[in-house]
Amino acid sequence: MPKSLRAVIAIPVIVIAIVMCASASQKKGVPEPALKEIRAVLDRQVQAWNRKDLEGFMQGYWRSPDLTFYSGGTTVSGWDATLARYRNRYQSAGNEMGKLEFVVLKIELLGSSAAFVRGRFHLVMSSGESGGLFTLTFRKFADGWKIIHDHTSTAP
């Protein structure tokens, strides 16, 4: 085979190999730990909820007056107000927390310190079942990944 033909064949093969290696290293590199860390935050939230520990559940949220929570046409601002909303809705007289499960989670990194999570929640209570959809915006802080915005809708 002439040298010029070998070069014509070899150059595209080398370029394809480099692109494939770069793509594979991106998929296995930095994002994987971040995805696992975010999933761990959500898993800890479910565990805390199912222990009826709202303060533990709230550890997944950014403890800031700038935290936002949208649900049912209302907007709640701040960590303390979000905790009060959860207490009123799930721990006040006649209400219960039930057993929580997150399903159909899709975690998408928006950069090295931000992520977008979409999912469905399912609650089983003595009075029946409830569920809905949520979208969460996460930010990475010095103490780990935290939810900075939560938009939750309950299915009718």
Side-chain angles (χ1 to χ4, degrees):
M1 184 181 305
K3 281 185 177 182
S4 62
L5 183 57
R6 279 190 289 209
V8 168
I9 293 171
I11 290 174
V13 168
I14 291 169
V15 169
I16 289 169
I18 290 169
V19 168
M20 289 175 66
C21 288
S23 175
S25 69
Q26 285 179 339
K27 289 180 182 174
K28 293 179 183 175
V30 175
E32 187 64 28
L35 298 177
K36 287 180 180 179
E37 291 166 7
I38 292 167
R39 181 60 201 235
V41 170
L42 296 167
D43 290 343
R44 285 190 300 272
Q45 282 193 300
V46 168
Q47 292 164 3
W49 184 277
N50 291 335
R51 289 190 315 268
K52 303 187 181 352
D53 175 10
L54 274 180
E55 288 76 13
F57 176 80
M58 288 294 296
Q59 294 310 304
Y61 287 92
W62 181 32
R63 193 171 197 138
S64 166
D66 294 325
L67 167 69
T68 53
F69 185 97
Y70 293 179
S71 183
T74 63
T75 300
V76 176
S77 296
W79 191 92
D80 292 322
T82 301
L83 175 58
R85 179 199 178 278
Y86 275 119
R87 280 192 178 135
N88 184 52
R89 186 163 172 116
Y90 296 102
Q91 289 187 331
S92 62
N95 293 317
E96 66 175 297
M97 291 180 66
K99 181 173 170 46
L100 175 66
E101 178 184 22
F102 290 151
V103 291
V104 193
L105 286 173
K106 182 172 182 188
I107 302 170
E108 184 178 338
L109 293 177
L110 302 175
S112 61
S113 63
F116 184 65
V117 177
R118 289 169 281 208
R120 181 176 296 277
F121 71 93
H122 183 241
L123 272 174
V124 178
M125 297 167 282
S126 62
S127 61
E129 297 184 18
S130 177
L133 301 172
F134 62 85
T135 55
L136 307 171
T137 306
F138 273 81
R139 183 186 298 165
K140 187 170 187 177
F141 294 93
D143 62 342
W145 290 93
K146 301 288 182 182
I147 299 164
I148 64 168
H149 175 75
D150 181 334
H151 188 166
T152 297
S153 62
T154 303

